[in-house]
Amino acid sequence: MQKQYELTIGKLKRTLPIIPITDTAAIASFVLLGDAELTRYAAKELAKRINIPFDYLVTLESKGIPLAQELSLITHHPRYFVLRKSVKAYMRNPIAIGMRSITTDYHQKLVLDGCDAEELRGKRVIIVDDVISTGGSLASAEHLLTKVGANVVQRCSILAEGPAANRDDCVFLNTLPIFAVKNA
Ligand SMILES: Nc1ncnc2[nH]cnc12
């Protein structure tokens, strides 16, 4: 099987290792954390493609956080919100729902602080993430945000992986294949 995947995002290129995630499928591992150059560049490119008014960006812990931070600053939205993967002791009235994602085999949670939920009620929000893949994380984020009365007006990511490449409800900069694993 191919071991690496050459990814191009505008003027930037990255070599991604191909990692099996099940007996039959592998992904090109795209780890945004630590890549400040790509994060800033991708945020600038996404900002050019967001052409809808919004109040807040919302991202999911953890790989979407640096992207949301850059995008917030570029679009002059100084505050953004993070959906966490666990309840923290400092949260007030946290609201949690279940979530499944392609890269994690156990059942995960998505948690919003109750005060953040108050602030998001009735607001126009854009969900930001590094990769949209099966759409499971995105659907959970959207479910949670809708539950607290926020209005999701756009979804954006750096990459759309596998079937997500055909989505017309997301803004993204490039696509990423899912690779078939041939077992001996
Ligand atoms: N290819 C990928 N690399 C890193 N994280 C991911 N999450 C979903 N797809 C991914």
Side-chain angles (χ1 to χ4, degrees):
M1 193 186 59
Q2 191 185 333
K3 290 216 167 62
Q4 293 180 326
Y5 180 76
E6 301 302 326
L7 174 70
T8 303
I9 298 175
K11 64 175 187 180
L12 299 183
K13 293 190 188 311
R14 295 292 183 269
T15 301
L16 310 184
I18 297 180
I19 311 286
I21 49 162
T22 65
D23 290 346
T24 55
I27 57 170
S29 172
F30 177 68
V31 181
L32 189 62
L33 295 179
D35 194 338
E37 181 190 34
L38 180 56
T39 304
R40 178 155 298 178
Y41 179 71
K44 280 187 190 152
E45 291 302 307
L46 283 172
K48 290 181 201 164
R49 292 163 175 79
I50 294 174
N51 46 17
I52 188 165
F54 66 96
D55 298 302
Y56 293 117
L57 297 174
V58 177
T59 193
L60 291 75
E61 187 179 9
S62 59
K63 295 207 296 340
I65 296 174
L67 180 65
Q69 167 124 355
E70 291 287 346
L71 201 46
S72 285
L73 292 171
I74 292 168
T75 59
H76 307 289
H77 288 73
R79 177 98 172 89
Y80 65 95
F81 292 88
V82 181
L83 304 177
R84 307 296 300 266
K85 298 271 171 72
S86 60
V87 174
K88 305 291 174 191
Y90 49 75
M91 286 180 170
R92 280 172 288 172
N93 304 318
I95 303 152
I97 61 163
M99 174 176 80
R100 270 202 178 280
S101 84
I102 189 172
T103 49
T104 313
D105 54 7
Y106 54 89
H107 200 68
Q108 289 185 300
K109 260 198 286 220
L110 212 48
V111 184
L112 181 62
D113 180 273
C115 298
D116 292 353
E118 290 281 304
E119 181 58 33
L120 287 169
R121 186 181 307 136
K123 298 293 195 316
R124 295 168 62 87
V125 303
I126 296 182
I127 302 176
V128 182
D129 211 350
D130 56 339
V131 184
I132 294 175
S133 189
T134 59
S137 311
L138 184 64
S140 298
E142 197 149 346
H143 181 195
L144 182 51
L145 289 164
T146 306
K147 194 171 160 172
V148 303
N151 183 14
V152 178
V153 295
Q154 185 58 278
R155 299 137 203 93
C156 73
S157 64
I158 300 177
L159 297 172
E161 184 172 56
N166 299 317
R167 290 183 70 139
D168 58 8
D169 61 343
C170 304
V171 173
F172 49 83
L173 301 180
N174 206 347
T175 59
L176 208 54
I178 292 181
F179 303 84
V181 174
K182 290 187 200 76
N183 291 307

